[in-house]
Amino acid sequence: MLSADDAAYYRPSLRAACLWLLLAAIGKTAVLPLFEALHRLLGRLWPGISATGLALEAELFYKIVLVATPAWLYMRRDNATRHAARLIAPEGRALPLTVLAAVIAVPFAAALGGLWARLIEALGGHVTADIALPVSIGEALLQLAVYALLPAVCEELLFRGGLMSAWERRGRRRAIIVQAALFALFHESAQGFPVQLVMGLALGRIVMDGGSVYAGMLFHGLYNALTLIWSWMLQGECAHFYAISDSVTAQLGLTVAGALALMAVLYRLRRGGGSGEAPREEMDAGTSVLLLLSVLKMLSLGVLNGLSLFGVI
């Protein structure tokens, strides 16, 4: 195990992490139009070519190349860097606790998301489902791969591997809070923001206390998969299975109970001792500009998403 000083030396710089985030944020908007243009070009050269799978191709390219690869290449440089970024196997006791945390997180997120959806609708907005119900086993497996496994691997490499590791240069607590806020903004969804923020905080604690990005991937992938399966069971009637209960009191009670249960599991996950705080690093002007550009881009599209919920745009 690296000391705090050694880990600080091998962690990514704040500037590198902000650059990775900006690349991912811009790529999220740019990739699909580029793939559409490519398909139009290929369609002219080969008129019989099909556009089937365009969205899947764009998502695969975007998540793997623009979200995961920059941080992964950095973390794979040498053994010390892998340890500093926690790209190592989790402790044995972390695995069952991580699985338990994911199972608890699903109904907790459903209740929290339900309360948020009720608030949106009370203010005149409209919550909709955005994932189609699969019509075959093959399509169901494809959705699980694209919407559960792919984000779990790629987003954990960027946010808990790259960003959180870099922000530990400014303190462990700040690192968890900042990466969770950026993780929630990254989804550019006003509808899902509270759930994504809380899940980002939980994932930060799981990776930091469990000592492994792979623990975060396990939680993230299992949570996404269970969420998706639950939404199928509800026949796509609601986004993020918000119809868990018709009672506000029941949703509130489940939210509180779920939060307490999740915090209890995360507390059990905490390792004894710890590596302590690393030396602090200030953020220079160039890095601040990179971060600001990323936040403004993600925030602006999140606001547009919020306006669409209310029929403004």
Side-chain angles (χ1 to χ4, degrees):
M1 181 64 67
L2 296 175
S3 68
D5 289 342
D6 290 339
Y9 177 79
Y10 286 104
R11 287 188 186 114
S13 67
L14 289 169
R15 174 166 292 193
C18 289
L19 185 60
W20 299 338
L21 178 64
L22 182 60
L23 177 65
I26 293 175
K28 190 171 188 178
T29 302
V31 164
L32 186 57
L34 288 175
F35 269 71
E36 289 174 343
L38 177 61
H39 271 261
R40 285 196 298 269
L41 176 61
L42 293 176
R44 292 176 182 175
L45 297 175
W46 296 283
I49 193 170
S50 171
T52 302
L54 171 63
L56 174 60
E57 295 166 13
E59 186 73 7
L60 286 171
F61 176 87
Y62 164 66
K63 283 286 174 64
I64 294 173
V65 176
L66 300 183
V67 175
T69 298
W72 181 80
L73 288 176
Y74 180 91
M75 289 185 285
R76 291 288 298 175
R77 292 192 313 172
D78 52 56
N79 191 54
T81 304
R82 286 195 293 272
H83 277 76
R86 302 183 178 87
L87 195 65
I88 55 177
E91 297 177 0
R93 72 185 186 89
L95 296 179
L97 290 172
T98 299
V99 171
L100 178 59
V103 172
I104 292 172
V106 174
F108 162 64
L112 176 61
L115 291 174
W116 183 246
R118 285 178 182 275
L119 177 60
I120 291 174
E121 292 175 347
L123 295 174
H126 180 60
V127 176
T128 58
D130 55 2
I131 297 179
L133 190 67
V135 296
S136 66
I137 294 178
E139 188 173 332
L141 293 175
L142 183 61
Q143 284 195 14
L144 284 170
V146 174
Y147 298 116
L149 179 60
L150 186 65
V153 174
C154 297
E155 291 175 8
E156 289 310 303
L157 286 172
L158 174 60
F159 285 96
R160 263 61 66 176
L163 288 172
M164 188 171 76
S165 178
W167 244 272
E168 283 185 82
R169 294 172 176 271
R170 306 197 72 188
R172 292 162 63 89
R173 182 175 299 177
R174 179 177 295 184
I176 291 177
I177 294 172
V178 169
Q179 63 81 26
L182 294 174
F183 176 70
L185 286 173
F186 178 74
H187 288 81
E188 299 171 353
S189 169
Q191 182 174 304
F193 183 83
V195 170
Q196 289 149 3
L197 178 62
V198 174
M199 290 302 105
L201 291 170
L203 280 161
R205 286 257 61 110
I206 286 168
V207 172
M208 190 171 287
D209 292 337
S212 173
V213 172
Y214 296 119
M217 291 179 185
L218 175 61
F219 176 96
H220 199 155
L222 183 57
Y223 168 82
N224 283 354
L226 292 174
T227 298
L228 194 59
I229 293 169
W230 195 337
S231 68
W232 294 341
M233 292 170 63
L234 294 172
Q235 298 296 303
E237 293 174 0
C238 52
H240 250 295
F241 45 88
Y242 292 151
I244 188 171
S245 173
D246 292 329
S247 168
V248 175
T249 303
Q251 285 184 328
L252 183 59
L254 186 55
T255 300
V256 174
L260 293 174
L262 186 58
M263 286 190 292
V265 174
L266 295 180
Y267 180 80
R268 291 282 298 172
L269 189 62
R270 293 181 63 181
R271 295 173 297 165
S275 59
E277 291 283 354
R280 301 299 178 96
E281 175 186 311
E282 296 302 319
M283 184 178 293
D284 59 37
T287 302
S288 299
V289 170
L290 291 174
L291 177 61
L292 180 61
L293 289 174
S294 300
V295 170
L296 288 176
K297 187 273 176 183
M298 296 185 296
L299 184 61
S300 61
L301 290 188
V303 170
L304 291 176
N305 175 262
L307 293 175
S308 70
L309 294 178
F310 294 90
V312 177
I313 57 174

